[in-house]
């Protein structure tokens, strides 16, 4: 087991500019400080609330890797802008030539005997109202006295940068640092418990566009199934009609055959009547005549 730090993560916490019904993004940079190939994986306590792209990967020795965390649009504002969401970045050494397709959940299992490094990041929400507001006083632009002045940083594409607060007095800084250290310690305990209990699910690298496409495809499939069901019902009705017509045709055919036989009998009877006595009757008369002649003239 090694005690050397594998990854260096910047920034140490995730800051999001919070606005209702608007997405907010934050970029995180990971630096591989070791001479080995390192695999990393990102987890969170609120997987439905955030999207991470990418949520896992391989970093070569002494190289860097960036991933973007996107907070989905929220409909309600948290109390006092406090967020209890946590992120956990797990990393471990992997063999040379390992690719992202080779990464599995077993690589980050603590019971495997491998060294698993874990970095915890907390989420900090920044309200737009905390930005500096300039007010004209005696013709000069001055900041409100009850606002803590802040300096805006440039915002690169797709990344929300939160400006750092200005310096305060040493005593206040000491109290604030102690308070932050205590909060960080509590946050790390919470994320560690989530990780040990394996209750922290993996983040799905999905965005709103993918979800929208899935919804559209689902609606299209549903519409196609409805159309096919309608066609099948129409085909069933057509088959029933054809079966009924076939049955009626069979009955008419049998009736016509019967009528034809009756007509043939009537024709034969008329032929017999038109041709005189039947042959059988003539033969019987001849036979009777022969017998009578024999008795009369023996």
């Amino acid at each position: 087991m090694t005690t050397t730090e594998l990854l260096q993560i910047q920034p140490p916490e995730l800051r999001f500019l919070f606005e209702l019904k608007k997405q907010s993004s934050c970029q995180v940079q990971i630096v591989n400080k070791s001479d080995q190939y390192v695999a990393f994986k990102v987890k969170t306590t609120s997987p439905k609330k955030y999207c991470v792209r990418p949520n896992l990967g391989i970093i070569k020795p002494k190289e860097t890797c960036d991933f973007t965390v996107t907070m989905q649009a929220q409909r309600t504002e948290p109390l006092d802008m406090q967020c209890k969401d946590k992120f956990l970045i797990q990393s471990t050494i992997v063999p040379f030539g390992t690719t992202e397709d080779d990464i599995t959940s077993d690589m980050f299992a603590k019971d495997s005997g491998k060294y698993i490094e874990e970095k915890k990041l907390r989420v900090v929400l920044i309200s737009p109202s905390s930005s500096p507001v300039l007010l004209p006083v005696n013709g000069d632009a001055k900041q409100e006295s009850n606002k803590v002045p802040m300096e805006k940083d440039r915002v690169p594409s797709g990344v929300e940068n939160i400006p750092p607060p200005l310096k305060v007095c040493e005593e206040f800084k000491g109290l604030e640092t102690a308070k932050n250290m205590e909060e960080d310690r509590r946050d790390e305990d919470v994320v560690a418990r989530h990780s040990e209990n394996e209750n922290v699910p993996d983040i799905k690298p999905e965005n709103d566009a993918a979800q929208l496409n899935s919804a559209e495809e689902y609606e299209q499939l549903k519409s196609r199934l409805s159309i096919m069901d309608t066609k099948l019902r129409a085909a069933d009705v057509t088959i029933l009609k054809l079966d009924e017509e076939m049955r009626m045709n069979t009955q008419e055919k049998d009736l016509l055959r019967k009528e034809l036989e009756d007509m043939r009998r009537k024709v034969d009877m008329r032929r017999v009547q038109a041709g005189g006595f039947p042959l059988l009757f003539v033969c019987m008369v001849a036979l009777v005549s022969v017998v009578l002649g024999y008795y009369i003239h023996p």
Side-chain angles (χ1 to χ4, degrees), residues 12-281:
E13 60 185 12
L14 302 179
R15 295 196 170 197
F16 295 96
L17 184 64
F18 184 85
E19 295 183 76
L20 290 177
K21 299 181 180 180
K22 289 186 179 181
Q23 290 186 350
S24 181
S25 299
C26 179
Q27 190 173 25
V28 180
Q29 184 182 71
I30 304 177
V31 180
N32 184 1
K33 300 175 62 178
S34 68
D35 297 328
Q36 305 289 334
Y37 275 63
V38 175
F40 74 92
K41 188 175 187 180
V42 185
K43 297 182 178 181
T44 181
T45 56
S46 302
K48 295 182 179 180
K49 187 176 178 181
Y50 301 94
C51 289
V52 176
R53 299 183 64 185
N55 68 323
L56 51 83
I58 300 292
I59 312 177
K60 296 181 180 180
K62 307 302 181 181
E63 291 192 1
T64 62
C65 176
D66 296 340
F67 66 86
T68 302
V69 182
T70 301
M71 183 176 65
Q72 304 296 334
Q74 303 297 309
R75 297 183 179 180
T76 58
E77 182 176 343
L79 183 63
D80 296 333
M81 294 294 291
Q82 298 297 321
C83 183
K84 296 182 179 180
D85 299 334
K86 308 295 185 302
F87 280 79
L88 178 68
I89 302 178
Q90 295 179 310
S91 58
T92 185
I93 297 175
V94 293
F96 174 81
T98 304
T99 63
E100 294 182 0
D101 296 334
D102 301 328
I103 298 178
T104 61
S105 300
D106 297 337
M107 289 185 177
F108 303 96
K110 292 184 177 180
D111 55 0
S112 62
K114 299 173 59 178
Y115 173 69
I116 308 297
E117 183 178 272
E118 294 183 344
K119 299 282 188 177
K120 292 92 177 180
L121 303 178
R122 66 173 185 170
V123 176
V124 178
L125 302 180
I126 305 299
S127 174
S129 61
S130 61
S131 301
V133 179
L134 298 179
L135 296 177
V137 179
N138 296 330
D140 298 331
K142 295 183 178 180
Q143 295 181 353
E144 293 184 24
S145 59
N146 58 346
K147 298 289 185 177
V148 178
M150 301 177 69
E151 181 181 358
K152 289 187 177 179
D153 289 341
R154 293 182 180 178
V155 181
S157 176
V159 182
E160 296 288 347
N161 280 348
I162 307 304
L166 294 181
K167 296 181 179 180
V168 295
C169 63
E170 295 297 332
E171 295 181 357
F172 181 78
K173 182 188 293 186
L175 294 175
E176 190 69 21
T177 303
K179 181 179 179 181
N180 290 338
M181 291 179 61
E182 184 178 356
E183 291 179 354
D184 291 341
R185 193 178 299 109
R186 290 199 300 267
D187 294 341
E188 291 179 359
D189 293 340
V190 172
V191 179
R193 286 197 298 269
H194 278 283
S195 176
E196 292 175 359
N197 297 330
E198 296 183 355
N199 290 330
V200 183
D202 296 343
I203 301 175
K204 298 180 179 180
E206 298 179 353
N207 52 20
D208 289 343
Q211 294 176 357
L212 181 59
N213 291 335
S214 299
E216 291 177 354
E217 292 176 357
Y218 174 78
E219 292 297 332
Q220 291 178 358
L221 290 175
K222 188 176 180 181
S223 177
R224 292 179 182 176
L225 289 175
S226 178
I227 294 173
M228 292 181 64
D229 185 64
T230 303
K231 291 182 178 180
L232 288 175
R233 291 181 181 178
D236 291 339
V237 173
T238 304
I239 291 173
L240 291 176
K241 289 182 179 180
L242 292 174
D243 290 339
E244 184 67 19
E245 291 178 359
M246 185 179 294
R247 187 178 63 82
M248 294 296 295
N249 291 334
T250 303
Q251 292 179 356
E252 291 179 359
K253 185 177 180 180
D254 294 337
L255 183 60
L256 290 173
R257 186 182 292 111
K258 186 176 181 180
E259 291 178 355
L260 181 60
E261 291 177 357
D262 292 338
M263 289 180 66
R264 286 179 180 176
R265 292 192 188 97
K266 290 180 181 180
V267 170
D268 292 338
M269 291 296 294
R270 289 177 181 177
R271 287 179 180 176
V272 170
Q273 292 177 0
F277 294 100
L279 179 62
L280 181 60
F281 180 76

